[in-house]
Amino acid sequence: MMERADGDWVADSEETSGAAAVSRPGPCLDDTRPFILRDAPPKWAPIRKSTETMVGWRVWRLVKAGAPEGPLMSTFMTSIWPAGVIMKACCAAETAGLRHGIHAFVSRGQAEEYFDEQSRGKTTPHVFGEVALWGRVVIHERGYRAQFAYPQTVLVPRCYADPRSDIVNDLRRAYGIDVYWH
């Protein structure tokens, strides 16, 4: 893997193979979430570079179920997580701090807490679940920042059940992953 002068990570083809169900790299995501990062990681923050996946927890907004581009969207950015496509971080590194990447929480409890915060009083449905992370991964106290990611399991709150639409099966078909009512 090389790092370009502009800070983007350029992946070797074997480094994008972390999610078996996903065949090609997708659009960039520059998702700098303050809910995980208070500031730049300390100088001792471990950076792991691996083709093996790590698993974190994440919250997404649900937009247009059944949309061909994919119904999952970042809670902070307006980036759609395209169905069947690896999400790649855009500006993955800065000389001091590695401030960009695809974020995920360490635990389900942290994701549920953030989910409650994000979905309270909002009309856009939110879902949460596990996300596979690989490539260059920075480990923080509360979460991870990764170079590549793909949803692994999504949990949909039962309050979104609607006889006119089948959110769970729409997400299963779109992403080829496990999706459950929660």
Side-chain angles (χ1 to χ4, degrees):
M1 171 145 84
M2 295 178 2
E3 187 175 323
R4 294 194 322 222
D6 63 3
D8 282 355
W9 284 328
V10 179
D12 299 329
S13 60
E14 67 272 6
E15 290 196 68
T16 60
S17 63
V22 181
S23 61
R24 62 195 189 282
C28 272
L29 177 65
D30 176 7
D31 188 7
T32 56
R33 286 301 305 137
F35 62 86
I36 294 176
L37 303 177
R38 292 189 188 107
D39 54 284
K43 290 180 182 176
W44 52 263
I47 298 176
R48 177 180 171 192
K49 179 182 173 190
S50 174
T51 56
E52 295 179 23
T53 60
M54 296 177 72
V55 177
W57 286 84
R58 192 171 164 92
V59 176
W60 294 273
R61 285 185 283 166
L62 190 61
V63 294
K64 291 192 239 176
E69 69 276 6
L72 297 179
M73 177 184 274
S74 171
T75 58
F76 184 67
M77 306 294 286
T78 57
S79 304
I80 297 285
W81 283 59
V85 179
I86 295 168
M87 186 61 78
K88 177 187 179 292
C90 282
C91 303
E94 290 180 5
T95 50
L98 297 168
R99 297 189 61 82
H100 302 283
I102 302 162
H103 292 252
F105 286 106
V106 170
S107 74
R108 177 178 174 160
Q110 292 168 320
E112 286 178 323
E113 181 182 325
Y114 183 70
F115 170 84
D116 290 341
E117 219 176 85
Q118 290 300 304
S119 60
R120 191 176 307 122
K122 297 190 177 154
T123 57
T124 304
H126 285 71
V127 297
F128 68 98
E130 293 176 306
V131 61
L133 308 164
W134 70 96
R136 231 171 130 182
V137 179
V138 179
I139 302 168
H140 291 268
E141 185 179 322
R142 296 186 63 201
Y144 310 106
R145 280 181 300 123
Q147 180 181 11
F148 300 106
Y150 195 78
Q152 190 169 324
T153 304
V154 173
L155 302 173
V156 180
R158 290 199 180 273
C159 65
Y160 299 140
D162 182 344
R164 295 169 292 170
S165 71
D166 190 355
I167 295 170
V168 168
N169 282 324
D170 286 347
L171 287 167
R172 281 182 188 145
R173 278 190 298 275
Y175 292 95
I177 60 172
D178 292 330
V179 182
Y180 304 101
W181 289 108
H182 171 67

PDB file of all heavy atoms in Angstrom, residues 4 13 23-24 26 43 53 72 79 81 96 102 116 120 122 129-130 141-142 145 147 150 164 177:
ATOM      1  N   ARG A   4      -0.254   8.544  -1.020  1.00  0.00           N
ATOM      2  CA  ARG A   4       0.041   9.616  -1.956  1.00  0.00           C
ATOM      3  C   ARG A   4       0.343  10.892  -1.203  1.00  0.00           C
ATOM      4  O   ARG A   4      -0.006  11.041  -0.038  1.00  0.00           O
ATOM      5  CB  ARG A   4      -1.156   9.839  -2.882  1.00  0.00           C
ATOM      6  CG  ARG A   4      -1.410   8.674  -3.793  1.00  0.00           C
ATOM      7  CD  ARG A   4      -2.342   9.012  -4.923  1.00  0.00           C
ATOM      8  NE  ARG A   4      -3.419   9.892  -4.543  1.00  0.00           N
ATOM      9  CZ  ARG A   4      -4.671   9.750  -4.935  1.00  0.00           C
ATOM     10  NH1 ARG A   4      -5.008   8.748  -5.685  1.00  0.00           N
ATOM     11  NH2 ARG A   4      -5.586  10.610  -4.569  1.00  0.00           N
ATOM     12  N   SER A  13      -4.321  -4.151  -4.834  1.00  0.00           N
ATOM     13  CA  SER A  13      -5.558  -4.901  -5.053  1.00  0.00           C
ATOM     14  C   SER A  13      -5.819  -5.930  -3.969  1.00  0.00           C
ATOM     15  O   SER A  13      -6.947  -6.162  -3.594  1.00  0.00           O
ATOM     16  CB  SER A  13      -5.534  -5.572  -6.423  1.00  0.00           C
ATOM     17  OG  SER A  13      -4.433  -6.460  -6.488  1.00  0.00           O
ATOM     18  N   SER A  23     -17.120  -6.964  -4.149  1.00  0.00           N
ATOM     19  CA  SER A  23     -16.214  -7.238  -5.246  1.00  0.00           C
ATOM     20  C   SER A  23     -15.353  -6.067  -5.701  1.00  0.00           C
ATOM     21  O   SER A  23     -14.341  -6.287  -6.315  1.00  0.00           O
ATOM     22  CB  SER A  23     -17.020  -7.748  -6.430  1.00  0.00           C
ATOM     23  OG  SER A  23     -17.952  -6.754  -6.819  1.00  0.00           O
ATOM     24  N   ARG A  24     -15.729  -4.856  -5.432  1.00  0.00           N
ATOM     25  CA  ARG A  24     -14.955  -3.746  -5.982  1.00  0.00           C
ATOM     26  C   ARG A  24     -14.958  -2.563  -5.017  1.00  0.00           C
ATOM     27  O   ARG A  24     -15.898  -2.371  -4.269  1.00  0.00           O
ATOM     28  CB  ARG A  24     -15.541  -3.319  -7.319  1.00  0.00           C
ATOM     29  CG  ARG A  24     -16.966  -2.825  -7.213  1.00  0.00           C
ATOM     30  CD  ARG A  24     -17.628  -2.750  -8.592  1.00  0.00           C
ATOM     31  NE  ARG A  24     -18.903  -2.094  -8.509  1.00  0.00           N
ATOM     32  CZ  ARG A  24     -20.024  -2.657  -8.062  1.00  0.00           C
ATOM     33  NH1 ARG A  24     -20.020  -3.872  -7.628  1.00  0.00           N
ATOM     34  NH2 ARG A  24     -21.156  -1.984  -8.040  1.00  0.00           N
ATOM     35  N   GLY A  26     -15.456   1.115  -3.728  1.00  0.00           N
ATOM     36  CA  GLY A  26     -16.489   2.086  -4.054  1.00  0.00           C
ATOM     37  C   GLY A  26     -16.021   3.504  -3.851  1.00  0.00           C
ATOM     38  O   GLY A  26     -14.837   3.774  -3.831  1.00  0.00           O
ATOM     39  N   LYS A  43       0.142   9.919  20.342  1.00  0.00           N
ATOM     40  CA  LYS A  43       1.250   9.417  19.529  1.00  0.00           C
ATOM     41  C   LYS A  43       1.406   7.910  19.645  1.00  0.00           C
ATOM     42  O   LYS A  43       1.902   7.259  18.749  1.00  0.00           O
ATOM     43  CB  LYS A  43       2.543  10.122  19.920  1.00  0.00           C
ATOM     44  CG  LYS A  43       2.541  11.566  19.503  1.00  0.00           C
ATOM     45  CD  LYS A  43       3.806  12.259  19.874  1.00  0.00           C
ATOM     46  CE  LYS A  43       3.647  13.715  19.451  1.00  0.00           C
ATOM     47  NZ  LYS A  43       4.718  14.551  19.811  1.00  0.00           N
ATOM     48  N   THR A  53     -10.122  -8.761   8.639  1.00  0.00           N
ATOM     49  CA  THR A  53     -11.088  -7.780   9.120  1.00  0.00           C
ATOM     50  C   THR A  53     -11.100  -7.676  10.632  1.00  0.00           C
ATOM     51  O   THR A  53     -10.855  -8.639  11.342  1.00  0.00           O
ATOM     52  CB  THR A  53     -12.517  -8.107   8.647  1.00  0.00           C
ATOM     53  OG1 THR A  53     -12.879  -9.390   9.154  1.00  0.00           O
ATOM     54  CG2 THR A  53     -12.641  -8.082   7.148  1.00  0.00           C
ATOM     55  N   LEU A  72     -28.313   2.698   3.074  1.00  0.00           N
ATOM     56  CA  LEU A  72     -27.597   3.139   4.271  1.00  0.00           C
ATOM     57  C   LEU A  72     -26.796   4.402   4.000  1.00  0.00           C
ATOM     58  O   LEU A  72     -26.130   4.507   2.971  1.00  0.00           O
ATOM     59  CB  LEU A  72     -26.650   2.049   4.779  1.00  0.00           C
ATOM     60  CG  LEU A  72     -27.289   0.749   5.236  1.00  0.00           C
ATOM     61  CD1 LEU A  72     -26.211  -0.241   5.680  1.00  0.00           C
ATOM     62  CD2 LEU A  72     -28.286   0.994   6.352  1.00  0.00           C
ATOM     63  N   SER A  79     -22.782  10.728   2.854  1.00  0.00           N
ATOM     64  CA  SER A  79     -22.281   9.630   2.034  1.00  0.00           C
ATOM     65  C   SER A  79     -23.189   8.414   2.113  1.00  0.00           C
ATOM     66  O   SER A  79     -23.460   7.905   3.189  1.00  0.00           O
ATOM     67  CB  SER A  79     -20.882   9.236   2.502  1.00  0.00           C
ATOM     68  OG  SER A  79     -20.019  10.329   2.475  1.00  0.00           O
ATOM     69  N   TRP A  81     -23.749   4.538   1.632  1.00  0.00           N
ATOM     70  CA  TRP A  81     -22.953   3.307   1.626  1.00  0.00           C
ATOM     71  C   TRP A  81     -23.512   2.442   0.500  1.00  0.00           C
ATOM     72  O   TRP A  81     -24.540   1.787   0.670  1.00  0.00           O
ATOM     73  CB  TRP A  81     -23.080   2.600   2.971  1.00  0.00           C
ATOM     74  CG  TRP A  81     -22.253   3.225   4.052  1.00  0.00           C
ATOM     75  CD1 TRP A  81     -22.341   4.507   4.509  1.00  0.00           C
ATOM     76  CD2 TRP A  81     -21.212   2.608   4.790  1.00  0.00           C
ATOM     77  NE1 TRP A  81     -21.423   4.708   5.494  1.00  0.00           N
ATOM     78  CE2 TRP A  81     -20.717   3.560   5.692  1.00  0.00           C
ATOM     79  CE3 TRP A  81     -20.659   1.330   4.788  1.00  0.00           C
ATOM     80  CZ2 TRP A  81     -19.685   3.278   6.581  1.00  0.00           C
ATOM     81  CZ3 TRP A  81     -19.642   1.055   5.676  1.00  0.00           C
ATOM     82  CH2 TRP A  81     -19.160   2.019   6.548  1.00  0.00           C
ATOM     83  N   ALA A  96       0.368  14.639  10.927  1.00  0.00           N
ATOM     84  CA  ALA A  96       0.294  14.528  12.385  1.00  0.00           C
ATOM     85  C   ALA A  96      -1.137  14.238  12.792  1.00  0.00           C
ATOM     86  O   ALA A  96      -1.922  15.140  12.979  1.00  0.00           O
ATOM     87  CB  ALA A  96       0.779  15.809  13.028  1.00  0.00           C
ATOM     88  N   ILE A 102     -12.995   5.722   8.111  1.00  0.00           N
ATOM     89  CA  ILE A 102     -14.351   5.239   8.339  1.00  0.00           C
ATOM     90  C   ILE A 102     -14.414   4.797   9.795  1.00  0.00           C
ATOM     91  O   ILE A 102     -13.654   3.941  10.230  1.00  0.00           O
ATOM     92  CB  ILE A 102     -14.681   4.083   7.384  1.00  0.00           C
ATOM     93  CG1 ILE A 102     -14.519   4.571   5.937  1.00  0.00           C
ATOM     94  CG2 ILE A 102     -16.092   3.573   7.647  1.00  0.00           C
ATOM     95  CD1 ILE A 102     -14.391   3.467   4.936  1.00  0.00           C
ATOM     96  N   ASP A 116     -29.444   5.922  20.099  1.00  0.00           N
ATOM     97  CA  ASP A 116     -30.508   6.595  20.855  1.00  0.00           C
ATOM     98  C   ASP A 116     -30.406   8.111  20.706  1.00  0.00           C
ATOM     99  O   ASP A 116     -31.406   8.794  20.506  1.00  0.00           O
ATOM    100  CB  ASP A 116     -30.448   6.217  22.339  1.00  0.00           C
ATOM    101  CG  ASP A 116     -30.850   4.770  22.589  1.00  0.00           C
ATOM    102  OD1 ASP A 116     -31.500   4.168  21.714  1.00  0.00           O
ATOM    103  OD2 ASP A 116     -30.491   4.251  23.666  1.00  0.00           O
ATOM    104  N   ARG A 120     -33.442  10.047  18.368  1.00  0.00           N
ATOM    105  CA  ARG A 120     -34.418  10.720  19.237  1.00  0.00           C
ATOM    106  C   ARG A 120     -35.010  11.949  18.532  1.00  0.00           C
ATOM    107  O   ARG A 120     -34.306  12.871  18.160  1.00  0.00           O
ATOM    108  CB  ARG A 120     -33.737  11.141  20.541  1.00  0.00           C
ATOM    109  CG  ARG A 120     -34.710  11.600  21.601  1.00  0.00           C
ATOM    110  CD  ARG A 120     -34.011  11.913  22.920  1.00  0.00           C
ATOM    111  NE  ARG A 120     -33.181  10.798  23.383  1.00  0.00           N
ATOM    112  CZ  ARG A 120     -31.862  10.902  23.611  1.00  0.00           C
ATOM    113  NH1 ARG A 120     -31.239  12.038  23.443  1.00  0.00           N
ATOM    114  NH2 ARG A 120     -31.173   9.858  24.018  1.00  0.00           N
ATOM    115  N   LYS A 122     -36.167  12.421  15.592  1.00  0.00           N
ATOM    116  CA  LYS A 122     -35.896  12.637  14.169  1.00  0.00           C
ATOM    117  C   LYS A 122     -36.823  11.786  13.328  1.00  0.00           C
ATOM    118  O   LYS A 122     -37.260  10.713  13.733  1.00  0.00           O
ATOM    119  CB  LYS A 122     -34.440  12.311  13.864  1.00  0.00           C
ATOM    120  CG  LYS A 122     -33.507  13.247  14.617  1.00  0.00           C
ATOM    121  CD  LYS A 122     -32.103  13.113  14.149  1.00  0.00           C
ATOM    122  CE  LYS A 122     -31.260  14.125  14.903  1.00  0.00           C
ATOM    123  NZ  LYS A 122     -29.897  13.749  15.025  1.00  0.00           N
ATOM    124  N   GLY A 129     -25.392  -1.611  13.605  1.00  0.00           N
ATOM    125  CA  GLY A 129     -24.923  -2.974  13.444  1.00  0.00           C
ATOM    126  C   GLY A 129     -23.425  -3.073  13.345  1.00  0.00           C
ATOM    127  O   GLY A 129     -22.697  -2.102  13.538  1.00  0.00           O
ATOM    128  N   GLU A 130     -22.985  -4.274  13.017  1.00  0.00           N
ATOM    129  CA  GLU A 130     -21.561  -4.543  12.902  1.00  0.00           C
ATOM    130  C   GLU A 130     -21.056  -4.135  11.521  1.00  0.00           C
ATOM    131  O   GLU A 130     -21.757  -4.275  10.526  1.00  0.00           O
ATOM    132  CB  GLU A 130     -21.288  -6.033  13.099  1.00  0.00           C
ATOM    133  CG  GLU A 130     -21.578  -6.519  14.497  1.00  0.00           C
ATOM    134  CD  GLU A 130     -21.383  -8.009  14.620  1.00  0.00           C
ATOM    135  OE1 GLU A 130     -21.997  -8.753  13.819  1.00  0.00           O
ATOM    136  OE2 GLU A 130     -20.629  -8.416  15.515  1.00  0.00           O
ATOM    137  N   GLU A 141      -9.585   4.861  21.910  1.00  0.00           N
ATOM    138  CA  GLU A 141     -10.170   4.377  23.154  1.00  0.00           C
ATOM    139  C   GLU A 141     -11.596   3.891  22.948  1.00  0.00           C
ATOM    140  O   GLU A 141     -12.000   2.871  23.476  1.00  0.00           O
ATOM    141  CB  GLU A 141     -10.155   5.509  24.175  1.00  0.00           C
ATOM    142  CG  GLU A 141     -10.619   5.092  25.548  1.00  0.00           C
ATOM    143  CD  GLU A 141     -10.562   6.237  26.535  1.00  0.00           C
ATOM    144  OE1 GLU A 141      -9.622   7.044  26.469  1.00  0.00           O
ATOM    145  OE2 GLU A 141     -11.471   6.320  27.364  1.00  0.00           O
ATOM    146  N   ARG A 142     -12.395   4.628  22.170  1.00  0.00           N
ATOM    147  CA  ARG A 142     -13.812   4.286  21.981  1.00  0.00           C
ATOM    148  C   ARG A 142     -14.127   3.663  20.631  1.00  0.00           C
ATOM    149  O   ARG A 142     -15.260   3.308  20.366  1.00  0.00           O
ATOM    150  CB  ARG A 142     -14.667   5.547  22.150  1.00  0.00           C
ATOM    151  CG  ARG A 142     -14.596   6.110  23.554  1.00  0.00           C
ATOM    152  CD  ARG A 142     -15.567   7.247  23.716  1.00  0.00           C
ATOM    153  NE  ARG A 142     -16.917   6.746  23.547  1.00  0.00           N
ATOM    154  CZ  ARG A 142     -17.947   7.504  23.227  1.00  0.00           C
ATOM    155  NH1 ARG A 142     -17.798   8.801  23.051  1.00  0.00           N
ATOM    156  NH2 ARG A 142     -19.143   6.987  23.106  1.00  0.00           N
ATOM    157  N   ARG A 145     -10.799   3.806  13.278  1.00  0.00           N
ATOM    158  CA  ARG A 145     -10.874   4.495  11.986  1.00  0.00           C
ATOM    159  C   ARG A 145     -10.180   3.596  10.988  1.00  0.00           C
ATOM    160  O   ARG A 145      -9.029   3.226  11.180  1.00  0.00           O
ATOM    161  CB  ARG A 145     -10.160   5.843  12.020  1.00  0.00           C
ATOM    162  CG  ARG A 145     -10.988   6.907  12.639  1.00  0.00           C
ATOM    163  CD  ARG A 145     -10.281   8.255  12.657  1.00  0.00           C
ATOM    164  NE  ARG A 145      -9.052   8.164  13.420  1.00  0.00           N
ATOM    165  CZ  ARG A 145      -7.850   8.456  12.935  1.00  0.00           C
ATOM    166  NH1 ARG A 145      -7.714   8.861  11.696  1.00  0.00           N
ATOM    167  NH2 ARG A 145      -6.783   8.360  13.680  1.00  0.00           N
ATOM    168  N   GLN A 147      -9.440   2.203   6.798  1.00  0.00           N
ATOM    169  CA  GLN A 147      -9.285   2.549   5.390  1.00  0.00           C
ATOM    170  C   GLN A 147     -10.431   1.980   4.547  1.00  0.00           C
ATOM    171  O   GLN A 147     -10.921   2.647   3.649  1.00  0.00           O
ATOM    172  CB  GLN A 147      -7.953   2.008   4.900  1.00  0.00           C
ATOM    173  CG  GLN A 147      -7.662   2.290   3.450  1.00  0.00           C
ATOM    174  CD  GLN A 147      -6.345   1.701   3.025  1.00  0.00           C
ATOM    175  OE1 GLN A 147      -5.742   0.907   3.752  1.00  0.00           O
ATOM    176  NE2 GLN A 147      -5.884   2.078   1.860  1.00  0.00           N
ATOM    177  N   TYR A 150     -17.248  -2.408   5.236  1.00  0.00           N
ATOM    178  CA  TYR A 150     -18.476  -2.888   4.628  1.00  0.00           C
ATOM    179  C   TYR A 150     -19.398  -3.375   5.748  1.00  0.00           C
ATOM    180  O   TYR A 150     -18.930  -4.018   6.696  1.00  0.00           O
ATOM    181  CB  TYR A 150     -18.213  -4.038   3.641  1.00  0.00           C
ATOM    182  CG  TYR A 150     -19.405  -4.306   2.749  1.00  0.00           C
ATOM    183  CD1 TYR A 150     -19.678  -3.479   1.668  1.00  0.00           C
ATOM    184  CD2 TYR A 150     -20.268  -5.354   3.016  1.00  0.00           C
ATOM    185  CE1 TYR A 150     -20.787  -3.704   0.866  1.00  0.00           C
ATOM    186  CE2 TYR A 150     -21.383  -5.583   2.217  1.00  0.00           C
ATOM    187  CZ  TYR A 150     -21.633  -4.753   1.137  1.00  0.00           C
ATOM    188  OH  TYR A 150     -22.733  -4.972   0.352  1.00  0.00           O
ATOM    189  N   ARG A 164     -46.354  -1.978   4.610  1.00  0.00           N
ATOM    190  CA  ARG A 164     -46.205  -1.540   3.211  1.00  0.00           C
ATOM    191  C   ARG A 164     -44.774  -1.691   2.694  1.00  0.00           C
ATOM    192  O   ARG A 164     -44.535  -1.581   1.502  1.00  0.00           O
ATOM    193  CB  ARG A 164     -46.640  -0.087   3.068  1.00  0.00           C
ATOM    194  CG  ARG A 164     -48.125   0.102   3.346  1.00  0.00           C
ATOM    195  CD  ARG A 164     -48.453   1.547   3.461  1.00  0.00           C
ATOM    196  NE  ARG A 164     -47.814   2.023   4.695  1.00  0.00           N
ATOM    197  CZ  ARG A 164     -47.717   3.277   5.056  1.00  0.00           C
ATOM    198  NH1 ARG A 164     -48.202   4.217   4.302  1.00  0.00           N
ATOM    199  NH2 ARG A 164     -47.139   3.616   6.186  1.00  0.00           N
ATOM    200  N   ILE A 177     -26.133  -9.196   3.342  1.00  0.00           N
ATOM    201  CA  ILE A 177     -25.680  -9.398   4.722  1.00  0.00           C
ATOM    202  C   ILE A 177     -26.819  -9.860   5.601  1.00  0.00           C
ATOM    203  O   ILE A 177     -27.980  -9.855   5.176  1.00  0.00           O
ATOM    204  CB  ILE A 177     -25.073  -8.089   5.295  1.00  0.00           C
ATOM    205  CG1 ILE A 177     -26.130  -6.972   5.291  1.00  0.00           C
ATOM    206  CG2 ILE A 177     -23.825  -7.680   4.538  1.00  0.00           C
ATOM    207  CD1 ILE A 177     -25.716  -5.700   6.001  1.00  0.00           C
TER     208      ILE A 177
END
